[in-house]
Amino acid sequence: IAGITQAPTSQILAAGRRMTLRCTQDMRHNAMYWYRQDLGLGLRLIHYSNTAGTTGKGEVPDGYSVSRANTDDFPLTLASAVPSQTSVYFCASSDSGTSGWGTDTQYFGPGTRLTVL
Amino acid sequence: GQNIDQPTEMTATEGAIVQINCTYQTSGFNGLFWYQQHAGEAPTFLSYNVLDGLEEKGRFSSFLSRSKGYSYLLLKELQMKDSASYLCAVEDSNYQLIWGAGTKLIIKP
């Protein structure tokens, strides 16, 4: 593995189903993030984690949950998917996160294209 | 509220120079980032400015004026592979990135 990987690449999901998007990084970065990207809008932060064992809410957290059991993995779960969650989801990581220490540059995974019908 | 403004789309000619502007209003400022995103791909880091002035990196340069809440990305000697979206993002007082919607740059031969 080099950098950040996400799985699946794409998924079509029936409304009401539960779905977990996976994200793994091998750069030993402290911070990880989940964004969604919709046409005409900027990337919007869903949840973040500054370090293993801690998580925080971003701009659009409703309907999503995350966990950070270790440094490398940061899964995003949709408990009961709705059509408005159709989007492209990007996972990212950085040295420092919102602690303000270290390098803030975020590096992105290839994305997951999710369609909820 | 927090706001990042960029033009939606720009067109330029191969070999020319193009300037993509970004204005911002955020709660605090801890730096400004430019990312490039090709269609269907992930954003990739281009530049970071935290002090006023110009940062040059090969064919790409980025300028920042904190007093004006303004930045631009300058691309020289345009190549067809530069056709992409360019995203401006500001790190606010909580060290979270606030993203613009991006500028789609179309390069014509």
Side-chain angles (χ1 to χ4, degrees):
Chain A
I1 299 176
I4 302 180
T5 58
Q6 293 184 236
T9 302
S10 66
Q11 182 76 42
I12 299 174
L13 190 66
R17 298 296 296 269
R18 180 183 180 89
M19 175 74 192
T20 295
L21 308 185
R22 299 185 298 279
C23 175
T24 300
Q25 55 106 357
D26 66 354
M27 297 179 283
R28 308 305 294 172
H29 281 168
N30 290 311
M32 298 185 75
Y33 313 83
W34 274 105
Y35 291 95
R36 59 178 289 172
Q37 187 174 41
D38 302 292
L39 197 63
L41 299 177
L43 288 161
R44 291 184 290 169
L45 183 65
I46 303 171
H47 285 284
Y48 66 93
S49 168
N50 283 334
T51 188
T54 69
T55 62
K57 293 182 180 180
E59 178 186 357
V60 289
D62 294 343
Y64 306 94
S65 63
V66 292
S67 61
R68 186 90 183 278
N70 56 60
T71 298
D72 298 344
D73 301 301
F74 191 43
L76 176 74
T77 297
L78 289 69
S80 179
V82 295
S84 62
Q85 292 178 311
T86 293
S87 188
V88 180
Y89 291 86
F90 287 103
C91 180
S93 71
S94 70
D95 266 351
S96 67
T98 58
S99 67
W101 296 95
T103 303
D104 300 338
T105 302
Q106 295 185 15
Y107 299 90
F108 285 79
T112 293
R113 185 175 297 274
L114 182 67
T115 302
V116 182
L117 301 176
Chain B
Q2 307 202 90
N3 196 50
I4 311 287
D5 285 320
Q6 312 178 227
T8 301
E9 186 174 296
M10 299 181 70
T11 301
T13 304
E14 190 177 14
I17 299 173
V18 70
Q19 177 175 312
I20 303 174
N21 295 325
C22 171
T23 58
Y24 62 89
Q25 291 178 308
T26 57
S27 56
F29 178 87
N30 283 303
L32 186 144
F33 294 82
W34 285 96
Y35 280 76
Q36 180 189 59
Q37 185 177 26
H38 285 101
E41 298 183 7
T44 55
F45 170 74
L46 284 179
S47 68
Y48 171 69
N49 294 71
V50 66
L51 299 176
D52 289 352
L54 189 69
E55 294 281 343
E56 297 185 80
K57 192 184 295 185
R59 294 188 299 114
F60 293 7
S61 303
S62 56
F63 172 83
L64 174 67
S65 169
R66 289 172 296 172
S67 62
K68 295 182 179 178
Y70 168 70
S71 173
Y72 67 73
L73 181 69
L74 192 71
L75 290 73
K76 303 176 185 176
E77 301 169 15
L78 286 170
Q79 302 176 9
M80 297 304 293
K81 68 178 181 179
D82 297 330
S83 292
S85 290
Y86 292 85
L87 315 182
C88 174
V90 172
E91 190 169 39
D92 69 8
S93 56
N94 294 317
Y95 297 96
Q96 290 187 5
L97 289 185
I98 309 301
W99 295 82
T103 299
K104 183 177 180 180
L105 178 63
I106 299 168
I107 310 294
K108 295 186 175 180

